Amino acid sequence: MSNIRGSVAAAPEPDDRPVDEIECGSDGGDDSCCAHADGAEEDCCCGSHEERADGGHDDHAGAGGCACCGGDADDDEKMWGAPFIIGVVLFAAGFIFENFGHSIVGAFTSGAAMESLLRWGPAAVLLISYLLIGRHVLTTAFKNILRGRVFDENFLMTIASIGAFVIGEYPEAVAVMLFYEVGEYFQGRAVRHSRKSISALLDIRPDTANIQVDGEIKEIAAERVNVGDVILIRPGDKVPLDGTVVSGNSSMDTKALTGESLPTDVGEGDTVLSGSINGQGLLNVRVTKRFSESTASKIIDLVEHAGTKKAKTENFITVFARYYTPAVVAIAAALAILPPILGAGTFADWVYRGLVFLVVSCPCALVISIPISFFGGIGASSARGILVKGGNYLEALNRVDTVIFDKTGTLTAGAFRVTAVMAAEGVREDRVLRIAAGAESSSTHPIAVSIIEKFREVGGEIDLDEIGDIVEKPGFGVRARVKDDVVLVGNTRLMDEEDVSYPRIETAGTMVCVAVNGQYTGMLLVADEVKADSRKTVDGLRRRGIGRVLMFTGDNAATAAKIGAELGLDDCEAGLLPHRKVEALERVLAEKAAAEPDEKKRGKTVFVGDGINDAPVLARADVGFAMGGLGSDAAIEAADIVIMNDEPSKILTALDIAKKTKKIVWENIGFALGIKAVVLALAAVGIANMWEAVFADVGVALLATLNALRAGRVDG
């Protein structure tokens, strides 16, 4: 098992200013919003919120909007606000005014006043409608042009609609914007329904510590505690700072840090990490790291800033528009300039045709059918308990070549069971189990619970009248009287302390020794169990062409090796704290970057986890899957896709839906472009007008929508 070394640089302290006072371009420590790390101001979400693939923009929901632009997380909800609705009403009024104005206005006036009203009235109404409906697209296109990103879908919508205004096709200009906004709404609606509204991030770091001052225990701010101070950790307390145990014994719940459900026994000289929860013992701990450098603080910083290092996963329509837009603009320009130069007509005639061509080229059907296709894929995923936080992540699943799993709670059940009972010579196994269950009958320790459950599974009943004098020794085990015998049940440290000889066994899992009257009686092996469909998942990934399947775990190397061999994984990394998991992932990504420098050709890396300790690496991976049934809020918040029933095989279903969705997208693109090519050819020779193109687009969009429903026809 490889040992990953290195350290994680401390992230900048968050800006304490109110979110609406932090201006775009400032480095107020708010990299989580705009990805301004290293001064990369061009990556700001302002004006192009959808580019934040890591979902960072959504972190501001309910907090005043984006720290840069004041934008709300749910732009599609704002779109359906009063300005948009007023714009739609004005569009309907303008359309009626333009087509039936003579009949309506003629009933009230005539002459020059009527002609003037009929000439400029519809144009004025539709212009206002256009600005209200398309305001987001227009401002985004303008801002992107200033940043040097010209050829995107916003530019395409803008130039096509402005061209329609130039040639006097006012209703068509508004229709272009309306179609586009409706298409984006459908995908946004799917995302809203599949996204978990979880605001709690990482409540693992207590802000206060108990310290002895002048003979009294006082609670002070953890930031004021210095290295070398001794703090008191009471039973049930969260550890506020990293340190070394000076006195006391206990069991530490480190699940928030390592993901492992099994408590870790600690005593004098052992290291305890902030974010751990103390068990039954009272501990005095000498602080070894300041509050800002503690393990829990590092995890929080990692989650807040890991997303800024994630490569953006672009929306499909954005990628498509990057190539389609310059192509149609170039053809329209050639159509307007070349024929007159070659003597085939006047400039005025061909410039008009060029503008018509440009307007007709606006892919209304595409900008609806592509989001609708992803809407179908996201909806199909949701129906199967897979919540996808954006169509871009569904698209990214088509390029996955590496999948990395957490162990506990992801590949394994995360619940401990007695997997073996080994009795000493001359002793029956059922007696070992009965004695251990009796001694542990009053304990709530996870190992004790698993022993009692095992005893009850085989039909045993604990007679509490036979048990007494129970003394629990935190970090060691328990001493009790069972009938007339003195029983010891605990780890090897308890056996050593009581001078009990026992066999030394190397095995994956936790050994619980049992001794009666100072004599070794037997041993129980407690371990986590592999989920029923974990092997099926790994095999299914292989069949789908996934080249590497790895495991990162906070558990020990022996257990990791056993699980890895059982499931047929390519490699396992053991003993990893959260920042070490991020380092391990960074190394995998660096190896892939070295093998394929072109990011567009490089395969995507998926990480699958469930605990708070997985949140940083989930945020850093190209696509993060979180187990939502038993997973922590922090993991679900950091992930891009959430599996609600905790079955790892749902990853296979997500991959299949992503593949089916991409196929449908390309079918819709081919169909829409085929119809568009016919209409464009007719427009180039002056036969087709804008309305014929619009009606063709409506028909294509309807058929594309029906085709998108096929995304749900995937087994799983």
Side-chain angles (χ1 to χ4, degrees):
M1 211 62 58
S2 57
N3 183 21
I4 304 171
R5 300 186 180 276
S7 61
V8 178
E13 291 295 322
D15 197 315
D16 292 329
R17 288 175 292 165
V19 70
D20 57 355
E21 292 182 10
I22 303 176
E23 295 186 349
C24 190
S26 74
D27 71 4
D30 201 304
D31 290 355
S32 62
C33 174
C34 289
H36 283 171
D38 301 323
E41 187 171 336
E42 67 274 12
D43 290 332
C44 177
C45 55
C46 297
S48 190
H49 298 166
E50 69 275 13
E51 293 188 6
R52 283 307 315 281
D54 60 7
H57 199 276
D58 297 287
D59 291 343
H60 298 289
C66 175
C68 303
C69 56
D72 199 349
D74 294 323
D75 284 328
D76 46 356
E77 288 186 354
K78 285 173 59 179
M79 183 190 78
W80 294 100
F84 185 85
I85 294 174
I86 293 172
V88 173
V89 172
L90 290 177
F91 170 59
F95 179 83
I96 295 172
F97 199 2
E98 179 166 283
N99 290 277
F100 306 101
H102 280 89
S103 301
I104 297 173
V105 177
F108 301 96
T109 185
S110 61
M114 183 183 76
E115 292 300 324
S116 179
L117 184 61
L118 290 175
R119 180 179 180 184
W120 299 110
V125 172
L126 290 170
L127 177 61
I128 296 173
S129 170
Y130 171 77
L131 294 175
L132 290 173
I133 291 175
R135 66 194 188 283
H136 292 309
V137 176
L138 295 171
T139 56
T140 300
F142 177 72
K143 290 178 181 179
N144 285 347
I145 290 173
L146 294 180
R147 296 188 189 102
R149 294 198 298 266
V150 178
F151 296 114
D152 65 356
E153 70 273 26
N154 298 290
F155 177 80
L156 177 59
M157 298 300 109
T158 300
I159 194 171
S161 56
I162 290 176
F165 266 108
V166 170
I167 62 176
E169 300 286 359
Y170 308 128
E172 292 85 338
V174 183
V176 165
M177 284 297 183
L178 184 60
F179 273 134
Y180 177 72
E181 294 282 24
V182 169
E184 289 300 294
Y185 165 76
F186 276 112
Q187 183 169 332
R189 183 165 178 253
V191 171
R192 283 202 314 277
H193 280 288
S194 66
R195 184 183 293 272
K196 295 291 287 181
S197 300
I198 297 175
S199 58
L201 185 57
L202 291 174
D203 185 24
I204 67 171
R205 179 183 62 181
D207 296 323
T208 61
N210 296 313
I211 189 169
Q212 188 168 352
V213 180
D214 298 330
E216 294 183 17
I217 302 299
K218 293 187 177 180
E219 184 175 317
I220 66 172
E223 294 98 328
R224 294 174 53 196
V225 179
N226 298 314
V227 173
D229 289 346
V230 176
I231 59 176
L232 182 70
I233 312 294
R234 298 187 178 101
D237 283 355
K238 289 180 181 178
V239 180
L241 302 109
D242 295 0
T244 303
V245 177
V246 176
S247 63
N249 294 286
S250 189
S251 296
M252 305 299 295
D253 180 356
T254 61
K255 187 173 183 180
L257 304 178
T258 66
E260 303 308 313
S261 301
L262 189 65
T264 301
D265 296 330
V266 296
E268 186 175 341
D270 291 333
T271 298
V272 294
L273 302 176
S274 59
S276 305
I277 300 176
N278 188 21
Q280 298 94 337
L282 186 68
L283 297 176
N284 285 292
V285 174
R286 189 177 303 281
V287 175
T288 56
K289 291 183 180 179
R290 294 187 61 82
F291 183 71
S292 61
E293 299 171 352
S294 66
T295 301
S297 296
K298 282 185 178 180
I299 297 175
I300 294 172
D301 289 338
L302 281 169
V303 174
E304 290 176 345
H305 299 283
T308 65
K309 300 175 71 177
K310 179 187 291 193
K312 290 190 289 291
T313 304
E314 293 182 290
N315 290 322
F316 189 95
I317 185 64
T318 303
V319 178
F320 177 82
R322 184 178 300 144
Y323 299 98
Y324 182 82
T325 304
V328 297
V329 170
I331 295 173
L335 188 63
I337 297 172
L338 293 181
I341 293 177
L342 299 175
T346 65
F347 270 104
D349 183 39
W350 283 104
V351 167
Y352 180 84
R353 289 191 183 184
L355 286 172
V356 172
F357 180 91
L358 187 62
V359 174
V360 172
S361 70
C362 181
C364 298
L366 283 178
V367 299
I368 290 180
S369 65
I370 292 177
I372 286 248
S373 299
F374 283 108
F375 172 89
I378 293 173
S381 300
S382 297
R384 288 161 176 77
I386 305 167
L387 306 183
V388 184
K389 295 185 179 180
N392 48 348
Y393 300 117
L394 205 61
E395 164 65 14
L397 289 182
N398 287 285
R399 296 173 51 199
V400 172
D401 63 2
T402 303
V403 176
I404 305 171
F405 289 95
D406 170 52
K407 181 182 73 69
T408 306
T410 302
L411 291 175
T412 64
F416 291 92
R417 294 178 56 82
V418 175
T419 58
V421 179
M422 296 166 280
E425 187 175 351
V427 181
R428 292 176 48 171
E429 292 180 357
D430 61 343
R431 182 169 184 265
V432 175
L433 183 59
R434 179 172 58 81
I435 292 171
E440 298 279 19
S441 59
S442 64
S443 176
T444 58
H445 193 286
I447 289 180
V449 172
S450 67
I451 293 173
I452 295 168
E453 288 180 350
K454 180 67 174 180
F455 182 58
R456 287 173 176 163
E457 282 178 10
V458 298
E461 292 186 8
I462 299 174
D463 187 352
L464 296 178
D465 293 334
E466 297 180 350
I467 303 162
D469 301 334
I470 297 175
V471 179
E472 192 159 355
K473 299 189 67 176
F476 289 83
V478 65
R479 173 196 291 267
R481 177 183 52 78
V482 179
K483 292 187 178 179
D484 296 325
D485 297 321
V486 177
V487 174
L488 299 173
V489 179
N491 54 27
T492 56
R493 293 169 61 188
L494 179 62
M495 298 296 111
D496 291 337
E497 185 179 71
E498 298 289 339
D499 294 326
V500 176
S501 299
Y502 59 92
R504 311 283 174 168
I505 299 175
E506 291 293 332
T507 183
T510 299
M511 295 180 294
V512 180
C513 300
V514 181
V516 178
N517 298 325
Q519 297 295 315
Y520 171 76
T521 303
M523 186 180 296
L524 297 91
L525 183 64
V526 179
D528 199 359
E529 289 188 321
V530 173
K531 289 182 179 179
D533 65 342
S534 290
R535 182 71 202 211
K536 168 189 171 183
T537 302
V538 175
D539 292 342
L541 291 173
R542 304 284 191 203
R543 290 194 301 272
R544 286 163 177 78
I546 307 299
R548 299 178 70 191
V549 184
L550 314 174
M551 183 175 73
F552 293 169
T553 178
D555 207 346
N556 61 69
T559 302
K562 177 180 179 295
I563 299 296
E566 183 177 343
L567 297 179
L569 304 177
D570 294 315
D571 193 16
C572 301
E573 299 267 1
L576 302 179
L577 288 174
H579 63 284
R580 298 297 186 191
K581 283 188 177 183
V582 175
E583 290 177 7
L585 176 62
E586 293 282 8
R587 190 182 64 209
V588 171
L589 296 175
E591 291 172 356
K592 295 174 67 172
E596 176 52 73
D598 189 348
E599 184 182 328
K600 294 180 181 179
K601 297 179 181 179
R602 198 182 308 150
K604 299 292 185 182
T605 299
V606 164
F607 186 86
V608 189
D610 73 310
I612 291 176
N613 64 304
D614 296 320
V617 72
L618 284 168
R620 177 66 184 93
D622 294 324
V623 182
F625 277 83
M627 297 295 173
L630 297 176
S632 71
D633 287 356
I636 296 172
E637 174 68 22
D640 307 308
I641 300 174
V642 180
I643 299 174
M644 292 309 298
N645 65 357
D646 291 341
E647 294 178 4
S649 59
K650 290 296 184 182
I651 298 170
L652 306 178
T653 304
L655 290 170
D656 292 342
I657 291 175
K659 182 179 179 181
K660 183 75 171 286
T661 301
K662 185 174 182 179
K663 179 182 177 183
I664 290 172
V665 166
W666 280 109
E667 288 173 353
N668 286 344
I669 287 175
F671 180 57
L673 288 183
I675 299 298
K676 181 66 67 177
V678 174
V679 177
L680 286 174
L682 296 175
V685 296
I687 298 177
N689 61 26
M690 182 63 188
W691 272 116
E692 289 169 346
V694 170
F695 281 119
D697 270 345
V698 170
V700 171
L702 178 60
L703 294 175
T705 301
L706 296 175
N707 190 34
L709 299 178
R710 294 173 48 242
R713 299 176 185 172
V714 174
D715 295 332

